Amino acid sequence: MKTAEIRKRFLDFFEKRGHSILPSASLIPENDPSVLFNTAGMQPLVPYLLGQSHPAGKRLASSQKCVRTGDIDEIGDKTHATFFEMLGNWSLGDYFKEEAITWSYEFLTSKEDGLGLDPNRLYVTVFEGNNDAPRDEEAASYWEAVGVPSHRIYFRGVEDNWWSAGDTGPCGPDSEMFYDITPEGLGDLSSEEFEAADEQQKVVEIWNDVFMSYEKKDGKVVGELSQKNIDTGAGLERLAAILQNKDNIFDIDIFDGLREDVLVKSTSDIGEEEKTRAVRILLDHTRTAIFLMSDGVVPSNTDQGYVLRRLIRRAIRYADVLGIEAGGAADFGELIIKEYEDIYPELRHKQNIMDIFLAEINKFRITLEKGIRRFQAYGANNSISGTEAFDLYQTYGFPVELTLELASEKGITIDMDAYNKEMERHQSLSRSGAEQKFKGGLAGTGEMETKYHSATHLLHQALRDVLGDHVQQKGSNITSERLRFDFIHPDKMTDEEKKKVEDIVNAKIAEGLPMQSVTLSREEAEKTGALHFFADKYGDEVNVYYIGNDMESAYSKEFCGGPHVTNIGDLGTFKIKKEESTAAGIRRVKAVLV
Ligand code: SER
């Protein structure tokens, strides 16, 4: 079964069972500075899992784009990828364990409208219980009711069968489904045999049903949520590999054309194993980079932009390893866009994406030349220290494999132990930075964040008033200390323009207008003239937030999921701190409320 067919079957299956199908949210979490990327289908839904009402209802399903870069060094093996699509269905305080389990089983095994997987190759795990939640006999009983024999249901601990959205946020016990991918079939397995098969990847996890009814604060379960939710997630590429009898995710149909193209263009005679790894890295990184750029990320030295830069550089590096001529890596970008643009309309801004991609490739080529000169200087005495190797990595973006390869060509030695130590030190520094970031909590909906969110709407409209209607939101990022807003505008703002924008926003705050929302069909919502620039991101029902006593006379109207203040008179005084360029034609404003 083709990947597109699996995606379609999943969404159709849950639509038939009363779920609204949501378009994938952007890879960049909106109004949530605690994480760099959406790493799971539930992430954009956190406020709703915590109780806010969702305009599309209580039953939702989607195929969500996800990026996980924690395992970037493992890419090249059979299962890891930095980008993947997660199929998921959600109940926001509606159905619970029985329906979730019954439908999971039905979708996996039904030949008619599911995947037609063999029930004799299926195993499931459930939570064994602890002080926070009881042993999940209930989930086990529903599995038995659909036909999974009790000896194929394994009880496991919190490290395997509890899912949390970070240290703070919704969480709960889960139940995972595993599929036997051995040619011969493993049959019944004891608990120990199942553990071993899992470790050896003879069985692979294909779906996770989280019974998300608890809440965590600072790493501890603090109690039950006001509603019992279901959050499920299944990796699309993994399902495709199983259904296409492939032992790795890079051999699925989506990559067929790309793999062929890479192999045709590759002129190097490296060994098979090395070649396979390089091809997978090139495909994986290019795909992730293209999707990030389609969601508005541009290469830079911080946050998402830095991850993007690193991915592009590694992709080029592996294009080199494969002996693919300059320009080859860019061609793969185009092929990826072609493969996915029907499903993800944001990829249709092809020219824009390719311009950024090509500019970064060219820039890296120049850095590479400089780096090689630095390498030659460092290696003049035939040895390179750990600090020097790290500097090549850090300052010149040299992946260590490149340094090693150049060194071996020239008979230069590298102190790899010292390099690894330096790298570890750097990683633990950035990890503690990331942990700090995470502390804010996933939802990021504290009082100040909420105020900044409402101020962002005012700013958006004020910018349009002052600069013109070509102003469009390209990105927004909010912390409890400031707002950051990226928008389309060709020129640097003058001091006078900035002052005008501030004055308008502060005048509106002084009017003390209410901020209200209505849920409308998408069509009706569009008729209100409310701003909505991520055209393809909304479902059939949308929330429109407006600032004013009624929609007609409202100063600002915008499609938005909230949350917002109820009266904008509470915002304080608005001040622009900085205005700068982030990419050609895109300006960024940082502003505070004092
Ligand atoms: N949130 C869970 C996961 O990522 C299920 O969607 O596995």
Side-chain angles (χ1 to χ4, degrees):
M1 196 182 291
K2 296 241 192 240
T3 308
E5 172 73 11
I6 301 172
R7 194 194 290 112
K8 182 173 182 315
R9 278 188 176 231
F10 181 86
L11 298 176
D12 287 351
F13 182 94
F14 283 98
E15 191 168 32
K16 258 195 236 153
R17 286 156 184 81
H19 293 65
S20 301
I21 307 306
L22 300 179
S24 174
S26 163
L27 281 167
I28 311 308
E30 249 190 288
N31 309 316
D32 180 1
S34 62
V35 281
L36 289 181
F37 302 110
N38 273 323
T39 58
M42 51 71 66
Q43 220 142 19
L45 298 174
V46 168
Y48 311 102
L49 292 161
L50 292 172
Q52 199 178 308
S53 100
H54 194 288
K58 293 183 172 189
R59 295 185 179 193
L60 311 170
S62 75
S63 172
Q64 171 66 42
K65 302 177 287 186
C66 299
V67 163
R68 292 185 185 179
T69 52
D71 296 327
I72 195 168
D73 294 322
E74 313 223 8
I75 310 297
D77 71 1
K78 293 180 176 177
T79 53
H80 285 92
T82 53
F83 171 93
F84 63 99
E85 289 174 80
M86 192 183 275
L87 303 174
N89 59 287
W90 291 274
S91 154
L92 304 173
D94 188 33
Y95 62 83
F96 202 44
K97 293 183 189 178
E98 182 172 8
E99 291 87 339
I101 288 173
T102 310
W103 288 336
S104 289
Y105 185 81
E106 213 178 311
F107 179 69
L108 289 176
T109 57
S110 160
K111 289 206 168 67
E112 238 158 78
D113 57 355
L115 302 181
L117 289 174
D118 180 358
N120 294 321
R121 286 179 173 266
L122 208 57
Y123 307 85
V124 302
T125 62
V126 291
F127 183 51
E128 72 178 8
N130 65 4
N131 288 339
D132 296 321
R135 183 177 167 88
D136 207 347
E137 298 288 359
E138 193 192 348
S141 76
Y142 296 132
W143 283 119
E144 281 186 59
V146 294
V148 178
S150 62
H151 56 268
R152 283 183 173 228
I153 303 170
Y154 309 96
F155 285 82
R156 304 216 276 195
V158 79
E159 53 300 335
D160 292 311
N161 283 77
W162 188 278
W163 202 88
S164 310
D167 272 355
T168 294
C171 61
D174 66 29
S175 179
E176 299 182 341
M177 290 143 262
F178 289 76
Y179 200 67
D180 171 1
I181 55 166
T182 62
E184 64 283 9
L186 297 168
D188 289 345
L189 298 173
S190 70
S191 181
E192 292 71 35
E193 286 166 339
F194 172 75
E195 292 296 332
D198 180 14
E199 222 150 81
Q200 295 155 11
Q201 296 201 322
K202 291 181 173 173
V203 296
V204 293
E205 187 206 327
I206 48 174
W207 202 351
N208 184 12
D209 286 359
V210 186
F211 312 121
M212 200 166 254
S213 58
Y214 294 85
E215 191 174 14
K216 248 187 190 173
K217 288 221 165 88
D218 295 330
K220 283 202 185 71
V221 177
V222 290
E224 295 195 45
L225 292 170
S226 58
Q227 65 188 33
K228 288 186 190 318
N229 306 296
I230 290 294
D231 156 40
T232 89
L236 176 62
E237 290 86 345
R238 234 185 232 193
L239 285 175
I242 288 172
L243 286 153
Q244 294 169 21
N245 281 321
K246 305 290 184 196
D247 74 349
N248 76 85
I249 51 169
F250 294 101
D251 280 349
I252 63 175
D253 60 320
I254 280 196
F255 292 116
D256 281 349
L258 283 150
R259 253 190 344 263
E260 225 163 85
D261 194 67
V262 172
L263 293 174
V264 167
K265 287 187 175 140
S266 167
T267 57
S268 86
D269 53 4
I270 50 171
E272 253 339 281
E273 208 173 301
E274 206 184 332
K275 195 169 210 163
T276 302
R277 178 164 178 269
V279 171
R280 288 175 183 170
I281 294 174
L282 176 58
L283 296 183
D284 173 83
H285 288 14
T286 312
R287 179 172 66 158
T288 310
I290 292 289
F291 270 99
L292 286 175
M293 289 183 284
S294 79
D295 275 336
V297 182
V298 286
S300 73
N301 286 331
T302 53
D303 298 340
Q304 288 97 344
Y306 177 65
V307 175
L308 172 61
R309 173 159 282 166
R310 193 165 166 216
L311 288 166
I312 295 177
R313 292 183 169 191
R314 279 191 107 216
I316 298 168
R317 162 75 192 125
Y318 283 93
D320 283 352
V321 167
L322 289 162
I324 292 170
E325 278 180 32
D331 293 346
F332 304 136
E334 295 214 12
L335 286 173
I336 285 172
I337 293 176
K338 215 163 121 206
E339 179 65 45
Y340 283 100
E341 66 187 348
D342 289 344
I343 310 286
Y344 295 109
E346 56 275 25
L347 290 169
R348 291 182 202 145
H349 308 286
K350 181 169 137 189
Q351 203 47 51
N352 195 354
I353 298 171
M354 289 307 295
D355 285 351
I356 298 171
F357 192 37
L358 286 171
E360 182 64 15
I361 292 177
N362 292 335
K363 195 167 176 180
F364 182 50
R365 293 258 165 239
I366 296 168
T367 317
L368 203 59
E369 274 168 36
K370 279 196 202 151
I372 286 181
R373 281 203 292 277
R374 175 48 54 119
F375 170 87
Q376 282 159 347
Y378 280 154
N381 57 357
N382 286 338
S383 74
I384 288 183
S385 72
T387 322
E388 287 166 345
F390 188 73
D391 181 50
L392 287 169
Y393 162 77
Q394 179 87 332
T395 315
Y396 298 92
F398 261 42
V400 72
E401 306 94 71
L402 174 61
T403 310
L404 277 170
E405 199 176 279
L406 291 171
S408 86
E409 275 168 21
K410 305 216 160 22
I412 295 171
T413 57
I414 298 181
D415 185 346
M416 281 307 289
D417 280 348
Y419 168 82
N420 286 333
K421 278 206 189 99
E422 194 67 29
M423 187 69 177
E424 257 168 45
R425 205 176 63 83
H426 174 78
Q427 278 173 340
S428 75
L429 282 179
S430 51
R431 240 194 322 270
S432 63
E435 274 155 19
Q436 273 321 101
K437 270 191 151 186
F438 215 87
K439 273 202 164 156
L442 245 186
T445 47
E447 192 189 335
M448 277 321 289
E449 284 93 339
T450 307
K451 285 187 179 173
Y452 276 118
H453 191 187
S454 304
T456 301
H457 281 218
L458 277 178
L459 168 65
H460 194 176
Q461 186 55 46
L463 285 167
R464 289 167 66 87
D465 290 352
V466 175
L467 304 174
D469 283 348
H470 61 274
V471 167
Q472 288 190 13
Q473 170 166 347
K474 287 304 274 182
S476 159
N477 176 284
I478 288 166
T479 71
S480 57
E481 270 103 44
R482 54 119 182 100
L483 67 82
R484 200 175 80 191
F485 187 73
D486 295 351
F487 58 99
I488 297 179
H489 182 59
D491 310 308
K492 187 170 172 53
M493 284 174 75
T494 62
D495 287 345
E496 198 187 331
E497 284 166 341
K498 283 189 262 181
K499 172 92 174 50
K500 267 195 196 158
V501 169
E502 281 177 352
D503 288 350
I504 293 177
V505 172
N506 286 319
K508 294 294 160 194
I509 294 174
E511 282 179 47
L513 293 168
M515 181 139 197
Q516 314 185 62
S517 76
V518 280
T519 305
L520 298 170
S521 73
R522 190 184 162 125
E523 214 181 3
E524 284 172 314
E526 277 169 8
K527 277 196 210 133
T528 66
L531 300 178
H532 56 286
F533 295 114
F534 301 104
D536 310 298
K537 215 186 65 178
Y538 305 97
D540 293 337
E541 297 268 294
V542 295
N543 268 334
V544 174
Y545 270 90
Y546 60 97
I547 297 173
N549 290 314
D550 54 65
M551 178 75 89
E552 290 288 281
S553 68
Y555 174 67
S556 138
K557 289 179 246 181
E558 218 173 294
F559 285 26
C560 181
H564 283 285
V565 298
T566 46
N567 190 305
I568 59 158
D570 296 337
L571 297 186
T573 305
F574 174 85
K575 190 141 190 41
I576 294 178
K577 291 298 250 191
K578 201 168 182 188
E579 191 270 349
E580 60 191 344
S581 159
T582 59
I586 313 278
R587 308 297 303 178
R588 167 171 292 178
V589 163
K590 286 188 186 163
V592 293
L593 294 167
V594 286

